[in-house]
Amino acid sequence: MATADDTDDLAMPTADEQQALDEAALQEKLRRKAELQKQARRPIGYADSMEAEKRKQQSLKKSKEEKRIALCEELGRGC
């Protein structure tokens, strides 16, 4: 049971609506950029730096299965 209201939702946004969406996206992008810059300026101590590095190393660590698949790809085998 499609009504006239249902088809209006499928229409392209008007120029004003599109501009508002673009401005909202730009504001969010600028807010995120400022947040990242603020984090980058904050001096971090040795303990914080070591903890961040450990988290980074843990996230990069591969499981046995991932290592096996990577080795097979490097050797050109279809293991």
Side-chain angles (χ1 to χ4, degrees), residues 13-29:
T14 64
D16 293 335
E17 291 172 338
Q18 187 63 42
Q19 184 178 5
L21 291 172
D22 292 344
E23 287 177 11
L26 180 61
Q27 290 299 323
E28 176 61 25
K29 184 178 177 183

Side-chain angles (χ1 to χ4, degrees), residues 1-57:
M1 292 193 208
T3 63
D5 293 335
D6 291 340
T7 57
D8 288 341
D9 292 341
L10 300 176
M12 292 292 292
T14 64
D16 293 335
E17 291 172 338
Q18 187 63 42
Q19 184 178 5
L21 291 172
D22 292 344
E23 287 177 11
L26 180 61
Q27 290 299 323
E28 176 61 25
K29 184 178 177 183
L30 291 174
R31 183 197 64 78
R32 179 74 176 138
K33 183 178 179 181
E35 181 180 313
L36 290 172
Q37 286 177 341
K38 182 179 177 183
Q39 287 177 352
R41 278 183 281 177
R42 183 189 69 180
I44 60 173
Y46 178 76
D48 293 336
S49 177
M50 286 299 293
E51 184 62 32
E53 186 62 27
K54 284 180 184 178
R55 283 194 307 268
K56 180 181 171 187
Q57 290 297 324

